[in-house]
Amino acid sequence: MNPETFLDALSGIALTPDAIQVLPDARAYRDCLLARIAAAERRIVIVALYLQQDEAGQAVLDALYRAKAARPALDITVVVDWFRARRGLLGAGRQPGNAAWYQAQRQLQGLDVPIYGVPVQTRELFGVLHLKGSIIDDCVLYTGASLNNVYLHHFDRYRLDRYHVFQSPALADAMAGLVQRLLHPVATPRLDLPEPPATGSLRSDIRRLRARLRRLVYEAVPSRPGQGMRVVPLLGVGRGNTLNRTVCALLAVAQQRIVICTPYFNPPRAVMREIDQALARGVEVELIVGDRTANDFYIAPGEPFSASGALPYLYEDNLRAFARRRHVCLASGQLQIRIWNDPGHTFHAKGMWVDQRYSLLTGNNLNPRGFNLDLENGLLIDDPQQQWLAPREAELAALRRFAPAIGSADELGVKADHPKPVRKLLRRLRYSRLEPLIKRVL
């Protein structure tokens, strides 16, 4: 099937332009989320990689318990990654994890607000729950952000993401329905109840769950392409999934311009191949990538170093190599690379814009891990009549605000300037021939 036919055949839901709102920043998203929870009448489905035990996480959990107390018939479901909830923060030593907090809060509140843990693989390294999109009544809040202080800009620091609000009963039903079909009485245990099972006892059930995940699809109400705006919900887990195929098809159909946004520059071979073919066709390609200091794994000089602190430098090395190999396109302006950096803050925005028709919202980092290991999803906005250009361009302008374009790969520095612990670790990886393997799980 050629890319155009593939995209047209995707099952979508008809929308009007005023059914989509783009929120400007993390604070606006936080305020919207809390207000929607407070006003919920029928259902709340919160899906995130994690709901963190901090001030912002407490505000969200308190809002859910208040809503349940005010309307006992309200159906509330919270879904987070199983592994992430049962461990502490990276580099912070042994901690009980958020699950212990969920249990304490349930005992304190005395109300039933179920929090489920989803193990996508038998080990966190090989796959996590990376679904995005929370449903409140007939509204979908779609963002790549998790729920903690920095993602919700609770104090001074923020982590930039993308924030969209869809008012669509059909989309809300499709996304809520998938979450309910995702949950399993054994393989996705409650984390808010005492003594959740050990991961080892779930291994067989987790393998069966992952096999079932590969067959899951959104049950969307189809609308014909070319008949106005539509939104296409996409699911992806494992190789060759619908989301991956859609990403590649979008790149393949581009005729004028592609914009790609990712905090972690480590494209899979399929994506790299489509980018190069687009450049060969004369398509303009723009990348918006976070500066290494805007990476959430960045460790400032003088702070205790851990292995995860080398990741921002590895991503920067990837980008430098990419820019050098395509220096002709970069020099001519056909390829534009923008480096986002608002000092003190971090960057987490992902997605794609193709020509003036397609906009892809996704939590997928467009890297090998997102393509092969994690459970991902996305919302494709198909706008054949260009009815939604103004909000689309306004969002792009905001993303470019702190992202000046570089003129050459030399502006990204050289490996010799990396801190000594980073150089030492990356050299070990290269000499041990583990670097290709490491890149597949990052």
Side-chain angles (χ1 to χ4, degrees):
M1 187 182 297
N2 68 49
E4 292 88 351
T5 304
F6 173 81
L7 293 173
D8 287 346
L10 293 171
S11 178
I13 295 166
L15 282 179
T16 57
D18 59 2
I20 312 175
Q21 179 186 5
V22 183
L23 301 178
D25 53 38
R27 280 200 172 115
Y29 167 63
R30 179 193 66 199
D31 294 345
C32 179
L33 175 64
L34 294 176
R36 295 273 180 170
I37 290 173
E41 297 179 352
R42 294 184 295 112
R43 66 181 171 193
I44 299 174
V45 182
I46 302 292
V47 183
L49 176 62
Y50 59 86
L51 169 61
Q52 184 69 31
Q53 182 182 2
D54 60 14
E55 290 82 356
Q58 186 71 61
V60 172
L61 198 52
D62 285 346
L64 292 171
Y65 275 113
R66 281 196 301 269
K68 186 67 175 180
R71 292 171 294 284
L74 187 62
D75 185 9
I76 300 179
T77 302
V78 180
V79 179
V80 296
D81 180 71
W82 167 261
F83 295 101
R84 183 65 178 78
R86 289 166 60 85
R87 66 163 172 82
L89 299 172
L90 287 176
R94 293 184 63 84
Q95 296 175 318
N98 293 316
W101 172 57
Y102 302 154
Q103 294 157 28
Q105 289 294 299
R106 176 184 172 82
Q107 186 173 16
L108 177 67
Q109 299 285 348
L111 295 169
D112 192 35
V113 174
I115 303 177
Y116 294 91
V118 176
V120 172
Q121 266 286 18
T122 54
R123 298 179 187 277
E124 183 179 6
L125 179 65
F126 300 122
V128 298
L129 175 82
H130 220 234
L131 285 183
K132 309 298 176 182
S134 295
I135 304 99
I136 302 176
D137 292 337
D138 291 333
C139 169
V140 174
L141 283 74
Y142 195 91
T143 176
S146 291
L147 300 169
N148 72 355
N149 284 340
V150 68
Y151 276 116
L152 299 182
H153 202 170
H154 188 81
F155 292 120
D156 294 335
R157 295 174 58 243
Y158 70 84
R159 180 165 297 150
L160 182 71
D161 215 292
R162 303 176 65 197
Y163 319 94
H164 293 74
V165 182
F166 294 80
Q167 196 64 40
S168 169
L171 179 62
D173 287 347
M175 298 188 74
L178 183 128
V179 171
Q180 293 305 318
R181 286 182 285 123
L182 166 69
L183 298 179
H184 183 274
V186 178
T188 60
R190 293 270 295 265
L191 288 163
D192 59 307
L193 296 180
E195 300 181 1
T199 302
S201 69
L202 299 174
R203 288 218 163 93
S204 296
D205 295 290
I206 293 171
R207 292 188 185 99
R208 285 191 288 269
L209 173 66
R210 186 167 179 91
R212 189 163 62 89
L213 291 177
R214 292 177 182 274
R215 299 190 297 272
L216 275 183
V217 295
Y218 284 105
E219 295 178 349
V221 179
S223 64
R224 289 180 298 168
Q227 302 298 311
M229 280 185 64
R230 62 184 189 136
V231 59
V232 180
L234 302 161
L235 192 69
V237 60
R239 296 180 181 178
N241 64 65
T242 304
L243 178 58
N244 292 359
R245 293 174 65 195
T246 301
V247 168
C248 293
L250 289 170
L251 296 172
V253 302
Q255 296 299 317
Q256 289 89 35
R257 188 170 186 82
I258 294 167
V259 182
I260 298 174
C261 199
T262 178
Y264 315 117
F265 190 79
N266 184 27
R269 290 179 182 176
V271 170
M272 196 75 83
R273 181 171 59 249
E274 293 293 348
I275 290 174
D276 283 335
Q277 290 177 358
L279 289 169
R281 293 196 305 272
V283 177
E284 294 182 359
V285 175
E286 177 182 350
L287 304 178
I288 305 175
V289 182
D291 184 84
R292 71 164 178 256
T293 62
N295 190 293
D296 43 328
F297 292 106
Y298 177 72
I299 298 174
E303 294 183 4
F305 180 77
S306 66
S308 62
L311 294 178
Y313 298 90
L314 184 59
Y315 297 131
E316 186 180 73
D317 291 347
N318 291 344
L319 184 61
R320 185 188 304 107
F322 173 86
R324 282 180 176 161
R325 292 189 188 107
R326 295 151 187 87
H327 65 94
V328 174
C329 294
L330 188 60
S332 71
Q334 184 191 0
L335 172 63
Q336 191 173 77
I337 298 176
R338 294 179 174 272
I339 308 298
W340 189 96
N341 188 20
D342 184 9
H345 308 290
T346 47
F347 183 78
H348 198 249
K350 305 109 180 263
M352 290 172 42
W353 298 256
V354 174
D355 295 335
Q356 291 188 310
R357 176 170 177 173
Y358 296 107
S359 303
L360 178 65
L361 320 178
T362 183
N364 193 313
N365 291 304
L366 305 178
N367 61 3
R369 183 182 181 90
F371 261 48
N372 298 311
L373 301 178
D374 297 337
L375 175 59
E376 306 275 3
N377 70 350
L379 295 178
L380 175 63
I381 300 172
D382 181 7
D383 183 21
Q385 298 174 6
Q386 300 178 14
Q387 300 172 272
W388 196 63
L389 282 185
R392 181 186 197 264
E393 293 305 314
E395 185 192 17
L396 272 171
L399 288 168
R400 294 176 180 127
R401 180 183 173 199
F402 294 109
I406 63 171
S408 72
D410 293 340
E411 294 182 41
L412 295 170
V414 295
K415 292 182 180 181
D417 293 336
H418 294 348
K420 185 176 179 180
V422 172
R423 296 199 310 270
K424 184 177 180 180
L425 179 58
L426 295 183
R427 187 165 56 246
R428 279 184 184 172
L429 288 178
R430 282 192 294 273
Y431 288 160
S432 65
R433 300 182 181 179
L434 287 175
E435 190 173 24
L437 176 62
I438 294 296
K439 287 183 177 181
R440 289 181 58 82
V441 298
L442 295 183

